[in-house]
């Protein structure tokens, strides 16, 4: 049954209420609160039952036929919600807005929030990853892009040229989980984001008109910025429906202030996850992340994805690391003080939005306890930023919030004794009354002579006196017992005195819970006054934590401070790939990367598996680490600041768009050629291998010449086209280097050492031999290679030995007749299907085995 097929006039009042809510949230699955469950109906029920593997049932709704329904317990809904969000659905949570006990008739319900990929505020978020939601406002001549992590309050804005490629790069590189676009957007952009990158995209034109978030852009005059931000705010206000006062003032991003690279470079260099398993382990982020706080971890990841081009800030970070290394005792003490600090940014988000609990305030209090020591240590280290101590807020939380407070805020047990006089008095009443209940049980046993009599309690019947069936005859009328409930093995009674005490106890209990909740909300409002100050503290702690992490890695791995030069020189001595070195510490061979003013291109030749790709990657990673402000893995390092990195490493087809390896190669090469400047770094690994040999070689040479003559960017170009090494004689800014190997007795040993000059041999057959391909195949490959290497003997070029078997030996043994040869002579490969050819080959092999 579909919702659209229903006659609404026949529906029950509750189902009509559901339909009205669903009409306003057509694109969301409605979690409709009914008592202790969230229920889903019609198409929502069909979808949820399938995605969450729930039993699909039906519900009477006034119609002749039951409507489809499934449900989940409200107290454990988070797991189900997370599954739907991860699968790309929106979920609207419709809550009961009134207490059913205090309502005559149907309870009012409405959506209190819509949860989507980009608007999560719960504990399911990865602690060291931002959860960005962004928007694209197409001004037709440029794009306005703003994005925020509403769990932390960070809010950014930038303008981009009206160019699809750059827009996609920024959206994907910044890992936006969800994007809102105005209706002028090119639908091809929407398709690519949805299908290629799994970004949730919503098209809407609403602009937020209220002024309660004007503090975000109070110093901004540009109407385009305000329009872009208000466009995103309209969506956030509609989905979250709560207070987002923790959002921070807009931070403008100038893309020209950061080292730029696209998503392919990020993947090729394995900056935040590995290419093979898409895991954090063995990525650059994994290596550098020794952070103690979630805030520091997020900031480190942002910096790896957006290295700096600000020389002054980079040098400042180098100096901080030097100080931390020198003052290692103070730095170690600082690490210990940072470790217990919780995620202040996300705590502030929950304080603002109103979904925090007492445990959150305990975490905040415990974090504040370490601020005085952090403040002192930063002063002793002469750090140029510091943290406020907030002692008054710590004192408030210390004396108010109970250490063992429950997660729920309606269960009592939130507030410490001694904080509020009335609360303490109510607790005394409750405690005294409960003591009375214990005493009453003893008194009743004495009075009645029933030794197994007991006084109990449940939520349905309240307090009662329970007597077993065998002792019922002992109850006398003068006891004043009034029968309350009959069970199989016992009966339950009440007395006027017990009823009176029950009213006192339960009245006190209810008053305690209500008063504790009221006090908790008052404390939360007081904490709200500190939100801006806590956010400023969080920013400093995040940076300090990131810097101590970079210091720790430099100390453990013997990294050095880079020298930034204004000259176009790369001089890296004994450079290492930091991750490969970490994984293969014993066998790692360091290499120099030297490119003087007059060398713009290194043409790298050498065997497969010898380390050409690793050599190229380590140059880019050293540059990225240096421009983060980190020390780098080498003996010494002098480099300029780069503006962009372009890579083409690996040979993966773009299966999503159906493009071949060669087309992907050419597109990535074109992007470098079109966008690179003389201050860029280009890495091309075996460019041109995706097409025929002479085509590939011709294109590779043309690209090298173009980069040499037109762009003049620092370029590392590896190739198996050994003919290209001759370019060193005609291109003065090109230099040949090679990764060395030793061949002895037909076996190859890779030295992984880069040396000057070129090699004219790839050792590909030796690598195939190491991979244990069949010996007959290897032998045949060597024969063919010999022919190609002496290709002036044209009559031999197309010689082929059939089937890899040495039939000459067979002829010596059987000069007059050979069944296999006779069979072979009858075959015409040009007229055979592949299956027939395989069958014939198998038959020939069987004949030879018999011989």
């Amino acid at each position: 049954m579909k919702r659209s097929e229903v006659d609404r006039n026949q529906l029950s009042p509750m189902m009509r209420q559901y339909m009205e809510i669903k009409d306003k949230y057509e694109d969301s699955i409605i979690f409709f609160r009914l008592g202790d469950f969230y229920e889903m109906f019609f198409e929502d029920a069909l979808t949820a039952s399938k995605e969450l593997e729930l039993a699909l049932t039906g519900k009477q709704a006034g119609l002749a036929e039951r409507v489809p329904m499934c449900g989940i317990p409200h107290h454990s809904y988070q797991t189900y919600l997370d599954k739907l969000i991860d699968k790309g659905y929106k979920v609207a949570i419709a809550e009961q807005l009134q207490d059913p006990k205090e309502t005559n008739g149907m309870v009012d319900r409405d959506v209190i929030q819509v949860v989507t990929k980009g608007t999560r505020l719960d504990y399911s978020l990865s602690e060291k990853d931002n959860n960005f939601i962004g928007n694209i406002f197409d001004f037709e001549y440029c794009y306005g892009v703003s994005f925020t992590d509403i769990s932390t309050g960070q809010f950014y804005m930038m303008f981009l040229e009206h160019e699809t490629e750059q827009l996609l790069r920024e959206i994907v590189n910044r890992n936006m989980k969800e994007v809102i676009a105005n209706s002028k957007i090119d639908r091809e952009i929407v398709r690519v984001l949805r299908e290629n990158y799994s970004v949730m995209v919503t098209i809407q034109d609403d602009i937020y008109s209220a002024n309660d978030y004007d503090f975000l852009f109070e110093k901004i005059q540009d109407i385009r910025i305000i329009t872009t931000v208000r466009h995103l705010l309209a969506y956030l206000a509609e989905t979250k429906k709560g207070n987002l006062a923790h959002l921070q003032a807009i931070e403008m991003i100038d893309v020209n202030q950061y080292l730029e690279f696209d998503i392919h470079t990020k993947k090729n260099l394995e900056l935040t996850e590995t290419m093979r398993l898409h895991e954090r382990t063995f990525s650059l982020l994994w290596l550098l992340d020794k952070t103690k706080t979630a805030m520091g971890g997020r900031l480190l990841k942002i910096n790896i994805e957006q290295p700096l081009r600000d020389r002054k800030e980079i040098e400042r970070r180098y100096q901080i690391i030097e100080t931390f290394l020198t003052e290692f005792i103070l730095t170690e003490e600082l690490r210990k003080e940072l470790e217990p600090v919780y995620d202040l940014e996300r705590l502030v988000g929950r304080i603002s939005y109103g979904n925090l609990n007492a445990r959150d305030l305990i975490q905040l209090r415990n974090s504040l306890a370490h601020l005085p020591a952090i403040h002192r240590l930063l002063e002793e280290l002469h750090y140029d930023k510091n943290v406020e101590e907030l002692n008054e807020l710590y004192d408030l939380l210390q004396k108010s919030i109970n250490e063992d407070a429950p997660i729920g805020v309606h269960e009592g047990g939130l507030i410490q004794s001694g904080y509020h006089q009335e609360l303490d008095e109510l607790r005394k009443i409750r405690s005294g009354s409960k003591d009375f209940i214990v005493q009453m049980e003893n008194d009743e046993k004495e009075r009645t002579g029933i030794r197994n009599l007991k006084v109990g309690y449940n939520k349905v019947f309240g307090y009662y006196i329970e007597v077993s069936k065998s002792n019922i005859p002992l109850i006398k009328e003068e006891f004043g017992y009034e029968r309350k409930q009959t069970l199989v093995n016992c009966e339950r009674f009440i007395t006027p005195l017990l009823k009176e005490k029950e009213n006192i106890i339960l009245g006190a209990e209810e008053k305690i819970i209500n008063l504790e909740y009221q006090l908790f909300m008052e404390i939360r409002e007081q904490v709200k006054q500190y939100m801006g100050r806590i956010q400023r503290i969080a920013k400093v702690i995040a940076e300090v934590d990131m810097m101590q992490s970079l210091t720790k890695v430099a100390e453990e791995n013997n990294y050095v401070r880079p020298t930034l030069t204004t000259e176009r020189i790369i001089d890296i001595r004994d450079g290492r790939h930091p991750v490969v070195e970490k994984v293969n510490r014993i066998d790692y061979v360091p290499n120099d990367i030297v490119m003087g003013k007059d060398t713009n291109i290194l043409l790298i030749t050498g065997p497969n598996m010898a380390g050409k790709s690793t050599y190229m990657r380590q140059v880019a990673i050293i540059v990225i680490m240096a421009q983060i402000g980190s020390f780098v893995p080498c003996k010494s390092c002098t480099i300029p600041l780069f503006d962009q990195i372009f890579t083409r490493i690996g040979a993966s087809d773009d299966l999503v768009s159906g493009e071949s390896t060669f087309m992907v190669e050419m597109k990535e090469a074109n992007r470098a050629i079109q966008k690179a400047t003389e201050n860029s770094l280009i890495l091309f690994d075996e460019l041109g291998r995706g097409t025929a040999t002479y085509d590939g070689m011709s294109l590779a040479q043309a690209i090298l010449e173009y980069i040499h003559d037109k762009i003049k960017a620092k370029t590392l170009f590896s190739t198996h086209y050994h003919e290209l090494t001759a370019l060193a004689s005609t291109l003065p800014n090109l230099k040949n280097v090679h990764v060395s190997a030793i061949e002895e007795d037909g076996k190859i040993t890779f030295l992984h050492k880069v040396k000057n000059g070129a090699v004219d041999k790839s050792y590909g057959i030796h690598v195939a031999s190491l991979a244990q391909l069949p010996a007959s195949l290897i032998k045949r490959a060597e024969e063919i290679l010999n022919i190609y290497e002496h290709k002036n003997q044209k009559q031999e070029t197309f010689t082929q030995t059939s089937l890899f078997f040495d039939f000459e030996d067979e002829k010596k043994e059987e000069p007059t007749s050979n069944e296999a040869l006779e069979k072979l002579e009858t075959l015409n490969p040009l007229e055979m299907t592949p299956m027939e050819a395989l069958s014939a080959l198998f038959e020939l092999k069987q004949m030879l085995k018999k011989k």
Side-chain angles (χ1 to χ4, degrees):
M1 181 189 301
K2 294 183 178 179
R3 197 165 55 90
S4 58
E5 300 169 350
V6 170
D7 181 356
R8 298 196 179 193
N9 294 322
Q10 297 181 18
L11 290 173
S12 64
M14 185 279 293
M15 190 55 67
R16 279 202 297 272
Q17 185 186 54
Y18 168 82
M19 298 287 264
E20 289 169 3
I21 291 174
K22 179 65 180 176
D23 288 343
K24 294 186 284 187
Y25 298 93
E26 292 276 1
D27 62 345
S28 302
I29 293 175
I30 307 291
F31 277 17
F32 192 74
R33 179 72 178 271
L34 286 173
D36 289 336
F37 285 84
Y38 285 116
E39 306 285 9
M40 288 145 276
F41 304 105
F42 297 104
E43 290 90 343
D44 284 0
L46 296 174
T47 300
S49 65
K50 177 183 175 184
E51 298 288 7
L52 302 176
E53 299 179 1
L54 300 173
L56 184 67
T57 61
K59 186 176 183 68
Q60 292 292 349
L63 305 173
E65 184 182 347
R66 289 160 66 90
V67 304
M69 182 193 85
C70 67
I72 55 174
H74 85 93
H75 61 273
S76 59
Y77 79 97
Q78 190 65 52
T79 302
Y80 300 100
L81 176 67
D82 290 342
K83 284 183 180 179
L84 290 173
I85 299 305
D86 289 339
K87 289 173 180 285
Y89 293 98
K90 295 181 179 181
V91 178
I93 300 177
E95 277 289 354
Q96 298 172 168
L97 303 182
Q98 299 169 295
D99 187 340
K101 297 177 184 175
E102 301 174 358
T103 307
N104 293 323
M106 190 172 63
V107 175
D108 284 342
R109 295 178 179 85
D110 204 352
V111 170
I112 60 165
Q113 67 167 316
V114 180
V115 185
T116 64
K117 275 188 176 182
T119 59
R120 282 175 164 171
L121 270 170
D122 51 64
Y123 296 93
S124 64
L125 294 173
S126 172
E127 67 171 14
K128 288 195 173 183
D129 291 313
N130 281 104
N131 191 58
F132 286 126
I133 178 173
N135 74 318
I136 306 167
F137 200 91
D138 189 344
F139 289 102
E140 298 185 285
Y141 61 91
C142 74
Y143 293 114
V145 176
S146 67
F147 57 101
T148 181
D149 180 345
I150 62 170
S151 70
T152 66
Q154 296 158 297
F155 213 132
Y156 303 95
M157 165 72 201
M158 59 186 169
F159 287 117
L160 300 175
E161 296 177 13
H162 205 265
E163 177 187 280
T164 299
E165 187 179 337
Q166 185 184 22
L167 176 66
L168 291 172
R169 183 175 75 246
E170 292 296 336
I171 297 293
V172 175
N173 264 7
R174 295 177 191 279
N175 200 24
M176 296 185 198
K177 301 291 194 304
E178 185 176 2
V179 168
I180 319 305
N182 64 339
S183 56
K184 291 180 181 178
I185 193 75
D186 183 350
R187 292 308 189 269
E188 178 61 16
I189 294 173
V190 175
R191 184 196 68 78
V192 171
L193 287 173
R194 285 175 175 165
E195 296 180 10
N196 292 21
Y197 300 107
S198 300
V199 177
M200 179 183 283
V201 183
T202 301
I203 308 292
Q204 72 170 44
D205 290 325
D206 297 346
I207 303 293
Y208 191 73
S209 57
N211 59 8
D212 45 344
Y213 292 115
D214 285 2
F215 64 88
L216 293 173
F217 35 75
E218 61 183 354
K219 296 180 181 179
I220 295 172
Q221 302 297 321
D222 193 328
I223 191 64
R224 298 172 302 169
I225 298 174
I226 296 172
T227 300
T228 302
V229 173
R230 286 187 178 277
H231 178 239
L232 179 54
L233 284 174
Y235 183 80
L236 296 179
E238 175 61 26
T239 54
K240 297 317 294 174
K241 298 182 180 294
N243 190 334
L244 298 175
H246 68 291
L247 293 178
Q248 300 175 41
I250 300 299
E251 186 176 331
M252 290 299 298
I253 293 177
D254 181 355
V255 293
N256 295 320
Q257 294 302 307
Y258 298 95
L259 173 62
E260 292 184 64
F261 42 77
D262 62 14
I263 188 67
H264 303 294
T265 297
K266 181 178 166 183
K267 286 180 178 178
N268 287 335
L269 299 177
E270 299 184 310
L271 297 183
T272 58
E273 64 178 25
T274 57
M275 291 179 70
R276 180 176 296 178
L277 299 176
H278 304 288
E279 292 180 350
R280 185 187 181 104
T281 305
F282 302 131
S283 67
L284 180 63
L285 177 59
W286 163 80
L287 177 77
L288 297 181
D289 190 1
K290 303 288 184 183
T291 56
K292 300 296 184 181
T293 70
M295 301 167 287
R298 289 195 295 269
L299 183 62
L300 175 63
K301 185 179 181 186
I302 287 174
N303 275 268
I304 289 173
E305 294 173 330
Q306 301 168 52
L308 304 173
R309 285 163 61 185
D310 182 341
R311 183 184 302 270
K312 184 176 179 182
E313 176 59 21
I314 294 170
E315 294 283 6
R316 170 183 170 268
R317 292 183 181 183
Y318 293 162
Q319 189 56 50
I320 291 170
I321 293 174
E322 282 205 345
T323 301
F324 280 5
L325 286 170
T326 304
E327 301 289 348
F328 57 89
I329 295 176
L330 291 175
T331 304
E332 190 58 39
E333 190 179 343
L334 179 62
R335 289 191 185 103
K336 290 177 182 176
E337 293 296 336
L338 289 172
E339 193 159 12
V341 176
Y342 287 89
D343 195 340
L344 296 177
E345 289 177 329
R346 285 185 172 159
L347 283 174
V348 168
R350 288 196 283 274
I351 291 166
S352 171
Y353 190 65
N355 65 334
L356 88 163
N357 55 45
R359 301 270 181 94
D360 292 326
L361 291 184
I362 292 169
Q363 289 183 355
L364 176 58
R365 183 198 67 197
N366 292 345
S367 300
L368 296 177
H370 295 274
L371 295 186
I374 293 172
H375 180 94
R376 173 182 59 80
L377 288 165
L378 292 179
E379 281 191 340
E380 290 184 34
L381 287 163
H382 303 292
Y383 203 87
D384 56 4
K385 298 177 184 177
N386 215 319
V387 297
E388 196 178 352
E389 296 185 20
L390 299 186
N391 291 323
E392 68 279 14
L393 178 57
Y394 172 78
D395 291 339
L396 169 65
L397 298 177
Q398 177 70 8
K399 68 184 181 183
S400 62
I401 303 299
N402 187 4
E403 186 70 39
D404 300 319
I407 293 177
V409 295
H410 296 284
E411 301 172 22
L414 304 174
I415 307 299
Q416 285 196 50
S417 298
Y419 177 69
H420 193 270
Q421 183 178 351
E422 183 184 349
L423 179 62
D424 290 345
E425 289 173 357
L426 286 169
R427 283 174 173 166
K428 284 180 183 177
I429 293 171
R430 180 183 64 182
S431 177
S433 298
K434 287 185 176 179
D435 290 342
F436 171 82
I437 296 296
V438 174
Q439 185 60 46
M440 182 180 182
E441 182 178 292
N442 293 329
D443 292 345
E444 288 300 305
K445 286 178 180 178
E446 291 292 328
R447 186 163 75 101
T448 63
I450 302 171
R451 305 313 299 173
N452 64 353
L453 172 151
K454 65 180 182 181
V455 178
Y457 171 81
N458 67 34
K459 288 186 178 181
V460 177
F461 293 103
Y463 284 94
Y464 54 80
I465 299 170
E466 185 174 287
V467 180
S468 64
K469 289 283 189 183
S470 61
N471 288 315
I472 295 298
L474 298 177
I475 297 175
K476 299 176 182 178
E477 189 175 342
E478 61 263 28
F479 292 168
Y481 281 19
E482 179 183 334
R483 184 173 281 103
K484 186 77 172 176
Q485 185 184 16
T486 300
L487 301 175
V488 175
N489 299 319
C490 63
E491 293 201 18
R492 291 173 175 173
F493 303 87
I494 60 170
T495 67
L497 182 59
L498 183 59
K499 195 68 180 173
E500 179 185 339
K501 283 297 179 183
E502 176 186 272
N503 291 334
I504 293 172
I505 295 170
L506 297 183
E509 192 74 48
E510 185 176 353
K511 286 179 181 177
I512 287 170
I513 289 173
N514 291 337
L515 181 55
E516 285 204 58
Y517 178 72
Q518 178 187 331
L519 292 171
F520 178 79
M521 298 305 286
E522 289 175 1
I523 293 166
R524 193 190 76 182
E525 289 304 310
Q526 291 182 64
V527 174
K528 269 189 178 182
Q529 308 304 314
Y530 292 85
M531 286 195 308
R533 294 159 76 179
I534 295 171
Q535 285 175 329
R536 288 191 288 274
I537 290 168
K539 282 183 182 296
V540 175
I541 287 179
E543 184 191 86
V544 170
D545 192 19
M546 179 181 75
M547 296 312 301
Q548 72 76 22
S549 177
L550 296 177
T551 302
K552 185 73 172 175
V553 176
E555 181 183 18
E556 289 179 349
N557 299 288
N558 197 28
Y559 295 170
V560 301
R561 177 173 179 163
T563 299
L564 301 180
T565 178
T566 55
E567 299 181 292
R568 299 186 66 255
I569 294 171
I570 297 178
D571 191 343
I572 301 170
R573 303 292 172 164
D574 283 351
R576 290 121 49 200
H577 188 298
V579 178
V580 177
E581 176 196 29
K582 193 74 172 177
V583 177
N584 301 318
R585 181 176 291 275
I586 298 174
D587 301 324
Y588 194 84
V589 178
N591 276 299
D592 296 345
I593 304 105
V594 181
M595 301 177 76
K597 295 178 185 177
D598 299 326
T599 303
N600 291 333
I601 301 174
L602 287 186
L603 186 62
I604 309 165
T605 50
N608 290 303
M609 287 180 58
K612 297 192 298 297
S613 296
T614 300
Y615 179 72
M616 296 172 73
R617 284 187 174 99
Q618 83 182 37
V619 178
I621 287 177
I622 287 173
V623 166
I624 287 170
M625 288 176 66
Q627 293 192 214
I628 290 170
S630 169
F631 283 16
V632 294
C634 56
K635 189 172 286 184
S636 67
C637 173
T638 300
I639 55 171
L641 287 176
F642 289 92
D643 60 1
Q644 300 170 91
I645 297 178
F646 301 91
T647 65
R648 174 56 196 169
I649 301 173
S652 56
D653 293 4
D654 189 346
L655 298 177
V656 175
S657 61
E659 292 178 344
S660 68
T661 299
F662 185 64
M663 176 58 80
V664 174
E665 279 188 348
M666 290 302 100
K667 281 192 168 184
E668 293 186 10
N670 181 58
R671 181 170 178 273
I673 289 166
Q674 296 292 335
K675 299 292 184 180
T677 70
E678 66 174 15
N679 297 319
S680 301
L681 177 64
I682 300 174
L683 309 179
F684 282 161
D685 188 16
E686 298 182 35
L687 193 67
R689 64 183 166 185
T691 188
T693 301
Y694 291 113
D695 279 355
M697 192 189 309
S698 303
L699 281 164
Q701 178 171 337
I703 288 169
L704 280 168
E705 290 174 351
Y706 190 92
I707 292 171
H708 181 277
D709 297 338
K710 305 284 187 181
I711 303 173
K712 299 180 172 59
K714 294 293 184 185
T715 304
L716 278 72
F717 195 111
S718 75
T719 186
H720 283 296
Y721 300 138
H722 297 114
E723 293 84 350
L724 295 178
T725 58
L727 290 172
S729 62
T730 57
L731 301 179
N733 301 127
L734 182 146
K735 177 182 175 183
N736 283 317
V737 296
H738 69 278
V739 188
S740 56
I742 296 175
E743 185 182 357
E744 293 179 335
D745 300 326
K747 294 184 178 180
I748 187 171
T749 302
F750 299 118
L751 300 181
H752 302 292
K753 195 69 179 175
V754 177
K755 298 181 179 179
N756 290 330
V759 293
D760 58 1
K761 195 170 184 179
S762 288
Y763 300 98
I765 294 175
H766 294 82
V767 175
S769 180
L770 290 175
Q772 297 184 334
L773 268 66
S776 58
L777 187 153
I778 297 295
K779 183 179 179 183
R780 177 57 185 152
E782 289 172 341
E783 292 172 0
I784 297 170
L785 177 63
N786 185 56
I787 292 169
Y788 278 124
E789 287 181 341
H790 300 84
K791 58 187 176 183
N792 56 321
Q793 302 174 10
K794 292 186 179 180
Q795 69 276 15
E796 295 182 349
T797 303
F798 301 102
T799 302
Q800 179 172 336
T801 303
S802 300
L803 304 172
F804 299 109
F805 296 113
D806 191 348
F807 292 115
E808 292 301 319
D809 291 342
E810 298 290 343
K811 286 180 182 179
K812 290 172 186 174
E813 294 174 12
E814 193 71 52
T816 57
S817 173
N818 187 310
E819 187 183 357
L821 277 174
E822 289 172 1
K823 173 70 176 175
L824 184 61
E825 288 175 355
T826 65
L827 301 177
N828 185 349
L830 298 178
E831 295 178 356
M832 300 172 72
T833 67
M835 203 65 208
E836 289 170 342
L838 284 172
S839 179
L841 179 59
F842 180 80
E843 187 179 342
L844 287 166
K845 190 170 182 180
Q846 293 301 108
M847 290 178 183
L848 288 172
K849 279 185 177 180
K850 289 176 184 177
K851 295 292 285 184

